[in-house]
Amino acid sequence: MDVAIDTPTKTFIQVAEIWVPEGETLVHGGGSYGDLAAFEQASRRESFARGQGLPGRAWEEARPVVLKGFDGSYFKRTEAAAEAGLTSAVAVPVFAGKTLKAVLVVLCGDDENRTGAIEVWKEQDRILVLDDGYYGAARHFEWVSQHTRFPAGQGLPGGVWASATPILMRDLGSGYRFIRADAAGKAGLTTGLGLPVPTPFGAAHVLTLLSARGTPIARRFEIWDARAAKVGKGGGAALVDGICAREGALWDPENAGQERRAEPWQGSIGKVLGSGLPVVESGKPGLAAGYGSMVALPIYQGPDLAHIVAWYV
């Protein structure tokens, strides 16, 4: 029996939505809006041409795009966002080879207590530099990040870049593997999820989601491996890492033979496997462990689905 979880009153990400291409237009493909009903209605009526609005800009530029203020920008839903208390957004394109599958957009509000980080790292001269990010109240951590560089294999962004796989990192404030541990500890950041963002051309990009205890990005993180070498020709995906605020570790490497698996079209992860598209679900009784909402994002290597990362609130 699923057990309800005491969801925090404030999460770092307030809205997650999917935009999918139909011809030369991006249309609404689902989302989680919490109690922001008016913003949800405005979003469902919207669509974006290539280069138009935030989703269209991520499509046109074929890279993740951070927008830390809406007034005077190309953001199309500025009035509705202001009424909902939303101030910043990040758009993440999902490419399979050169084909755009979807754009995931997450939106955040800004107040003195909301702490966390959504970062985009970009390859520049064979090193990763911060392209942009949203940090809420974690101002010092933002400054440290702006002045940090990562060679391949170093820290969370560098580890993702070198392996071309998503990585989940615990205990950011005390872990020696997390280069910015001191600043992360002072900001209250606890868990980091890093994932590669493949693009058809140009420099490599890495997205990092850093969660704080008071205003978490998620209460549960999962990484699924969908590569044929891992799961066999029959398809499906295997859980290769995960952590839950209540359950602890979700995967035990010593018992890999008893690993959790997902099959196409079975459950939320199965929907990603079957469709090849991101999935955002909210308020459905079938969600894992009674969570209120979840995001599952596919990661491709060339034209093939390689991994799925999921987070639950």
Short mmCIF file of all heavy atoms in Angstrom, two decimals, residues 166-218:
data_model
loop_
_atom_site.label_atom_id
_atom_site.label_comp_id
_atom_site.label_asym_id
_atom_site.label_seq_id
_atom_site.Cartn_x
_atom_site.Cartn_y
_atom_site.Cartn_z
N PRO A 166 24.14 10.18 -16.66
CA PRO A 166 23.68 10.93 -15.49
C PRO A 166 24.35 10.40 -14.23
O PRO A 166 24.69 9.20 -14.13
CB PRO A 166 22.17 10.68 -15.48
CG PRO A 166 21.95 9.47 -16.30
CD PRO A 166 23.06 9.40 -17.29
N ILE A 167 24.55 11.27 -13.24
CA ILE A 167 25.19 10.92 -11.98
C ILE A 167 24.40 11.53 -10.84
O ILE A 167 24.00 12.70 -10.90
CB ILE A 167 26.65 11.41 -11.93
CG1 ILE A 167 27.51 10.66 -12.96
CG2 ILE A 167 27.24 11.24 -10.54
CD1 ILE A 167 28.94 11.17 -13.05
N LEU A 168 24.17 10.74 -9.79
CA LEU A 168 23.51 11.19 -8.58
C LEU A 168 24.55 11.28 -7.47
O LEU A 168 25.27 10.31 -7.20
CB LEU A 168 22.40 10.22 -8.20
CG LEU A 168 21.50 10.56 -7.01
CD1 LEU A 168 20.78 11.88 -7.23
CD2 LEU A 168 20.50 9.43 -6.78
N MET A 169 24.65 12.44 -6.81
CA MET A 169 25.66 12.65 -5.79
C MET A 169 25.00 13.05 -4.47
O MET A 169 24.14 13.93 -4.45
CB MET A 169 26.64 13.74 -6.25
CG MET A 169 27.93 13.81 -5.45
SD MET A 169 29.15 14.94 -6.21
CE MET A 169 29.78 13.93 -7.54
N ARG A 170 25.40 12.37 -3.39
CA ARG A 170 24.83 12.63 -2.08
C ARG A 170 25.76 13.51 -1.24
O ARG A 170 26.92 13.68 -1.55
CB ARG A 170 24.64 11.33 -1.32
CG ARG A 170 23.52 10.43 -1.81
CD ARG A 170 24.03 9.46 -2.82
NE ARG A 170 23.10 8.33 -2.96
CZ ARG A 170 23.04 7.59 -4.05
NH1 ARG A 170 23.81 7.85 -5.08
NH2 ARG A 170 22.20 6.57 -4.10
N ASP A 171 25.21 14.02 -0.14
CA ASP A 171 25.99 14.73 0.89
C ASP A 171 26.91 15.79 0.28
O ASP A 171 28.12 15.78 0.49
CB ASP A 171 26.81 13.73 1.71
CG ASP A 171 25.94 12.70 2.39
OD1 ASP A 171 24.85 13.08 2.86
OD2 ASP A 171 26.34 11.52 2.45
N LEU A 172 26.32 16.70 -0.48
CA LEU A 172 27.12 17.69 -1.20
C LEU A 172 27.98 18.53 -0.27
O LEU A 172 29.10 18.92 -0.62
CB LEU A 172 26.20 18.62 -2.00
CG LEU A 172 25.32 17.95 -3.07
CD1 LEU A 172 24.58 19.03 -3.86
CD2 LEU A 172 26.14 17.08 -4.01
N GLY A 173 27.48 18.81 0.92
CA GLY A 173 28.22 19.68 1.83
C GLY A 173 29.43 19.04 2.47
O GLY A 173 30.30 19.74 3.00
N SER A 174 29.52 17.71 2.41
CA SER A 174 30.65 17.03 3.06
C SER A 174 31.39 16.08 2.13
O SER A 174 32.43 15.55 2.49
CB SER A 174 30.16 16.23 4.28
OG SER A 174 29.16 15.30 3.90
N GLY A 175 30.85 15.87 0.94
CA GLY A 175 31.48 14.91 0.03
C GLY A 175 32.72 15.48 -0.64
O GLY A 175 32.69 16.56 -1.22
N TYR A 176 33.81 14.73 -0.60
CA TYR A 176 35.05 15.21 -1.20
C TYR A 176 34.95 15.27 -2.72
O TYR A 176 35.71 16.00 -3.38
CB TYR A 176 36.22 14.31 -0.78
CG TYR A 176 36.20 12.93 -1.39
CD1 TYR A 176 36.88 12.67 -2.57
CD2 TYR A 176 35.49 11.90 -0.80
CE1 TYR A 176 36.85 11.41 -3.14
CE2 TYR A 176 35.46 10.64 -1.35
CZ TYR A 176 36.14 10.39 -2.53
OH TYR A 176 36.10 9.14 -3.10
N ARG A 177 34.02 14.50 -3.30
CA ARG A 177 33.90 14.50 -4.76
C ARG A 177 33.23 15.77 -5.27
O ARG A 177 33.36 16.10 -6.44
CB ARG A 177 33.09 13.27 -5.21
CG ARG A 177 33.78 11.94 -4.96
CD ARG A 177 32.86 10.79 -5.32
NE ARG A 177 32.42 10.87 -6.71
CZ ARG A 177 31.29 10.33 -7.16
NH1 ARG A 177 30.46 9.73 -6.32
NH2 ARG A 177 30.97 10.41 -8.43
N PHE A 178 32.50 16.46 -4.41
CA PHE A 178 31.82 17.68 -4.82
C PHE A 178 32.74 18.86 -4.57
O PHE A 178 33.01 19.21 -3.41
CB PHE A 178 30.49 17.84 -4.08
CG PHE A 178 29.60 18.88 -4.69
CD1 PHE A 178 28.93 18.63 -5.88
CD2 PHE A 178 29.43 20.12 -4.10
CE1 PHE A 178 28.11 19.58 -6.46
CE2 PHE A 178 28.61 21.08 -4.67
CZ PHE A 178 27.95 20.80 -5.86
N ILE A 179 33.24 19.46 -5.63
CA ILE A 179 34.29 20.46 -5.54
C ILE A 179 33.84 21.68 -4.73
O ILE A 179 34.64 22.28 -4.00
CB ILE A 179 34.73 20.89 -6.96
CG1 ILE A 179 35.17 19.66 -7.77
CG2 ILE A 179 35.85 21.93 -6.88
CD1 ILE A 179 36.28 18.86 -7.14
N ARG A 180 32.57 22.02 -4.79
CA ARG A 180 32.07 23.20 -4.09
C ARG A 180 31.42 22.84 -2.75
O ARG A 180 30.45 23.47 -2.33
CB ARG A 180 31.06 23.92 -5.00
CG ARG A 180 31.65 24.42 -6.31
CD ARG A 180 30.56 24.83 -7.30
NE ARG A 180 29.91 23.66 -7.89
CZ ARG A 180 28.75 23.68 -8.55
NH1 ARG A 180 28.12 24.84 -8.69
NH2 ARG A 180 28.24 22.58 -9.06
N ALA A 181 31.96 21.83 -2.08
CA ALA A 181 31.34 21.28 -0.87
C ALA A 181 31.16 22.33 0.22
O ALA A 181 30.10 22.38 0.87
CB ALA A 181 32.16 20.10 -0.36
N ASP A 182 32.15 23.16 0.47
CA ASP A 182 32.05 24.14 1.55
C ASP A 182 30.89 25.10 1.30
O ASP A 182 30.07 25.35 2.19
CB ASP A 182 33.37 24.90 1.70
CG ASP A 182 33.33 25.88 2.86
OD1 ASP A 182 33.19 25.43 4.01
OD2 ASP A 182 33.43 27.10 2.62
N ALA A 183 30.82 25.64 0.09
CA ALA A 183 29.75 26.58 -0.24
C ALA A 183 28.40 25.87 -0.25
O ALA A 183 27.38 26.45 0.15
CB ALA A 183 30.03 27.24 -1.59
N ALA A 184 28.37 24.62 -0.71
CA ALA A 184 27.12 23.86 -0.74
C ALA A 184 26.61 23.63 0.68
O ALA A 184 25.41 23.74 0.95
CB ALA A 184 27.32 22.53 -1.45
N GLY A 185 27.53 23.29 1.60
CA GLY A 185 27.13 23.08 2.99
C GLY A 185 26.54 24.32 3.61
O GLY A 185 25.53 24.27 4.32
N LYS A 186 27.15 25.47 3.35
CA LYS A 186 26.64 26.73 3.89
C LYS A 186 25.27 27.08 3.32
O LYS A 186 24.46 27.72 3.98
CB LYS A 186 27.64 27.84 3.62
CG LYS A 186 28.95 27.69 4.40
CD LYS A 186 29.94 28.77 4.03
CE LYS A 186 31.24 28.61 4.82
NZ LYS A 186 32.27 29.60 4.42
N ALA A 187 25.03 26.67 2.07
CA ALA A 187 23.74 26.96 1.43
C ALA A 187 22.68 25.93 1.77
O ALA A 187 21.51 26.10 1.42
CB ALA A 187 23.92 27.02 -0.09
N GLY A 188 23.07 24.85 2.43
CA GLY A 188 22.11 23.80 2.78
C GLY A 188 21.80 22.84 1.66
O GLY A 188 20.80 22.12 1.71
N LEU A 189 22.65 22.79 0.63
CA LEU A 189 22.43 21.87 -0.49
C LEU A 189 22.86 20.46 -0.08
O LEU A 189 23.93 20.27 0.50
CB LEU A 189 23.22 22.33 -1.71
CG LEU A 189 22.86 23.74 -2.22
CD1 LEU A 189 23.80 24.16 -3.34
CD2 LEU A 189 21.41 23.79 -2.70
N THR A 190 22.05 19.47 -0.41
CA THR A 190 22.29 18.11 0.06
C THR A 190 22.49 17.09 -1.04
O THR A 190 23.30 16.18 -0.90
CB THR A 190 21.11 17.65 0.93
OG1 THR A 190 19.90 17.72 0.16
CG2 THR A 190 20.97 18.53 2.17
N THR A 191 21.74 17.19 -2.13
CA THR A 191 21.74 16.16 -3.17
C THR A 191 21.89 16.80 -4.54
O THR A 191 21.26 17.84 -4.80
CB THR A 191 20.44 15.34 -3.13
OG1 THR A 191 20.24 14.83 -1.80
CG2 THR A 191 20.49 14.18 -4.11
N GLY A 192 22.70 16.20 -5.39
CA GLY A 192 22.91 16.73 -6.74
C GLY A 192 22.64 15.68 -7.80
O GLY A 192 23.08 14.53 -7.68
N LEU A 193 21.90 16.06 -8.83
CA LEU A 193 21.67 15.22 -9.99
C LEU A 193 22.26 15.92 -11.21
O LEU A 193 21.88 17.06 -11.50
CB LEU A 193 20.17 14.97 -10.20
CG LEU A 193 19.79 14.16 -11.45
CD1 LEU A 193 20.31 12.73 -11.35
CD2 LEU A 193 18.26 14.16 -11.62
N GLY A 194 23.20 15.29 -11.88
CA GLY A 194 23.80 15.85 -13.08
C GLY A 194 23.47 14.99 -14.28
O GLY A 194 23.47 13.75 -14.19
N LEU A 195 23.16 15.61 -15.41
CA LEU A 195 22.82 14.84 -16.60
C LEU A 195 23.34 15.53 -17.85
O LEU A 195 23.35 16.76 -17.94
CB LEU A 195 21.31 14.63 -16.71
CG LEU A 195 20.40 15.84 -16.60
CD1 LEU A 195 19.22 15.68 -17.54
CD2 LEU A 195 19.89 15.99 -15.19
N PRO A 196 23.80 14.73 -18.81
CA PRO A 196 24.23 15.31 -20.08
C PRO A 196 23.02 15.78 -20.88
O PRO A 196 21.94 15.18 -20.79
CB PRO A 196 24.93 14.14 -20.77
CG PRO A 196 24.29 12.92 -20.20
CD PRO A 196 23.92 13.27 -18.79
N VAL A 197 23.19 16.86 -21.63
CA VAL A 197 22.14 17.35 -22.52
C VAL A 197 22.68 17.30 -23.94
O VAL A 197 23.32 18.26 -24.40
CB VAL A 197 21.70 18.78 -22.15
CG1 VAL A 197 20.55 19.22 -23.05
CG2 VAL A 197 21.28 18.85 -20.68
N PRO A 198 22.47 16.20 -24.64
CA PRO A 198 22.99 16.08 -26.01
C PRO A 198 22.34 17.11 -26.94
O PRO A 198 21.14 17.37 -26.84
CB PRO A 198 22.62 14.66 -26.42
CG PRO A 198 22.30 13.95 -25.14
CD PRO A 198 21.76 14.99 -24.22
N THR A 199 23.14 17.68 -27.82
CA THR A 199 22.64 18.61 -28.82
C THR A 199 23.18 18.19 -30.19
O THR A 199 24.20 17.52 -30.27
CB THR A 199 23.06 20.05 -28.51
OG1 THR A 199 24.49 20.12 -28.47
CG2 THR A 199 22.51 20.50 -27.16
N PRO A 200 22.50 18.57 -31.26
CA PRO A 200 22.92 18.12 -32.58
C PRO A 200 24.28 18.65 -33.01
O PRO A 200 24.95 18.04 -33.85
CB PRO A 200 21.81 18.64 -33.51
CG PRO A 200 20.67 18.97 -32.64
CD PRO A 200 21.26 19.35 -31.32
N PHE A 201 24.67 19.78 -32.47
CA PHE A 201 25.95 20.37 -32.87
C PHE A 201 26.41 21.31 -31.76
O PHE A 201 25.65 21.63 -30.85
CB PHE A 201 25.81 21.16 -34.18
CG PHE A 201 24.62 22.07 -34.22
CD1 PHE A 201 24.66 23.33 -33.62
CD2 PHE A 201 23.45 21.68 -34.82
CE1 PHE A 201 23.56 24.17 -33.64
CE2 PHE A 201 22.35 22.52 -34.85
CZ PHE A 201 22.40 23.76 -34.26
N GLY A 202 27.67 21.72 -31.82
CA GLY A 202 28.17 22.69 -30.85
C GLY A 202 28.76 22.03 -29.63
O GLY A 202 29.01 20.82 -29.58
N ALA A 203 28.99 22.83 -28.60
CA ALA A 203 29.69 22.39 -27.40
C ALA A 203 28.81 21.47 -26.55
O ALA A 203 27.59 21.49 -26.65
CB ALA A 203 30.10 23.61 -26.57
N ALA A 204 29.47 20.66 -25.72
CA ALA A 204 28.76 19.79 -24.79
C ALA A 204 28.09 20.63 -23.71
O ALA A 204 28.59 21.69 -23.30
CB ALA A 204 29.73 18.80 -24.16
N HIS A 205 26.93 20.15 -23.21
CA HIS A 205 26.22 20.82 -22.14
C HIS A 205 25.88 19.81 -21.05
O HIS A 205 25.57 18.65 -21.34
CB HIS A 205 24.92 21.46 -22.64
CG HIS A 205 25.13 22.65 -23.51
ND1 HIS A 205 25.38 22.55 -24.87
CD2 HIS A 205 25.14 23.97 -23.22
CE1 HIS A 205 25.53 23.77 -25.37
NE2 HIS A 205 25.39 24.65 -24.39
N VAL A 206 25.94 20.25 -19.80
CA VAL A 206 25.58 19.45 -18.65
C VAL A 206 24.60 20.24 -17.80
O VAL A 206 24.83 21.43 -17.52
CB VAL A 206 26.82 19.07 -17.81
CG1 VAL A 206 26.41 18.39 -16.50
CG2 VAL A 206 27.75 18.16 -18.60
N LEU A 207 23.51 19.60 -17.40
CA LEU A 207 22.52 20.21 -16.52
C LEU A 207 22.69 19.62 -15.12
O LEU A 207 22.78 18.40 -14.96
CB LEU A 207 21.11 19.91 -17.03
CG LEU A 207 19.94 20.46 -16.19
CD1 LEU A 207 19.82 21.96 -16.36
CD2 LEU A 207 18.64 19.77 -16.59
N THR A 208 22.74 20.46 -14.10
CA THR A 208 22.81 19.99 -12.72
C THR A 208 21.63 20.55 -11.93
O THR A 208 21.31 21.74 -12.03
CB THR A 208 24.14 20.37 -12.03
OG1 THR A 208 24.37 21.78 -12.17
CG2 THR A 208 25.29 19.61 -12.65
N LEU A 209 21.00 19.68 -11.15
CA LEU A 209 19.91 20.04 -10.25
C LEU A 209 20.40 19.79 -8.83
O LEU A 209 20.68 18.64 -8.47
CB LEU A 209 18.67 19.20 -10.53
CG LEU A 209 18.13 19.20 -11.97
CD1 LEU A 209 16.95 18.23 -12.09
CD2 LEU A 209 17.73 20.59 -12.41
N LEU A 210 20.51 20.83 -8.03
CA LEU A 210 21.05 20.72 -6.68
C LEU A 210 19.94 21.04 -5.69
O LEU A 210 19.37 22.13 -5.71
CB LEU A 210 22.23 21.68 -6.49
CG LEU A 210 23.34 21.58 -7.56
CD1 LEU A 210 24.44 22.59 -7.27
CD2 LEU A 210 23.90 20.16 -7.65
N SER A 211 19.64 20.08 -4.83
CA SER A 211 18.48 20.15 -3.96
C SER A 211 18.87 20.49 -2.52
O SER A 211 19.84 19.96 -1.99
CB SER A 211 17.74 18.80 -3.99
OG SER A 211 16.50 18.88 -3.34
N ALA A 212 18.10 21.36 -1.90
CA ALA A 212 18.30 21.72 -0.50
C ALA A 212 17.22 21.08 0.36
O ALA A 212 16.12 20.77 -0.12
CB ALA A 212 18.28 23.24 -0.32
N ARG A 213 17.51 20.90 1.65
CA ARG A 213 16.57 20.21 2.52
C ARG A 213 15.29 21.01 2.73
O ARG A 213 14.19 20.47 2.75
CB ARG A 213 17.24 19.93 3.87
CG ARG A 213 16.41 19.06 4.80
CD ARG A 213 17.22 18.64 6.02
NE ARG A 213 18.23 17.64 5.68
CZ ARG A 213 19.54 17.88 5.61
NH1 ARG A 213 19.98 19.12 5.83
NH2 ARG A 213 20.39 16.94 5.31
N GLY A 214 15.38 22.32 2.87
CA GLY A 214 14.21 23.13 3.19
C GLY A 214 13.27 23.35 2.02
O GLY A 214 12.05 23.36 2.19
N THR A 215 13.83 23.55 0.83
CA THR A 215 13.03 23.74 -0.38
C THR A 215 13.57 22.80 -1.45
O THR A 215 14.24 23.22 -2.39
CB THR A 215 13.07 25.20 -0.87
OG1 THR A 215 14.44 25.61 -0.99
CG2 THR A 215 12.35 26.12 0.08
N PRO A 216 13.31 21.50 -1.34
CA PRO A 216 13.94 20.52 -2.22
C PRO A 216 13.45 20.60 -3.66
O PRO A 216 12.31 20.98 -3.91
CB PRO A 216 13.56 19.18 -1.58
CG PRO A 216 12.26 19.47 -0.90
CD PRO A 216 12.39 20.86 -0.37
N ILE A 217 14.32 20.26 -4.58
CA ILE A 217 13.89 20.04 -5.95
C ILE A 217 13.03 18.79 -6.00
O ILE A 217 12.03 18.73 -6.72
CB ILE A 217 15.11 19.92 -6.88
CG1 ILE A 217 15.70 21.33 -7.13
CG2 ILE A 217 14.75 19.24 -8.20
CD1 ILE A 217 16.96 21.34 -7.95
N ALA A 218 13.39 17.77 -5.23
CA ALA A 218 12.64 16.53 -5.19
C ALA A 218 12.91 15.80 -3.90
O ALA A 218 13.90 16.05 -3.22
CB ALA A 218 12.99 15.64 -6.39
#
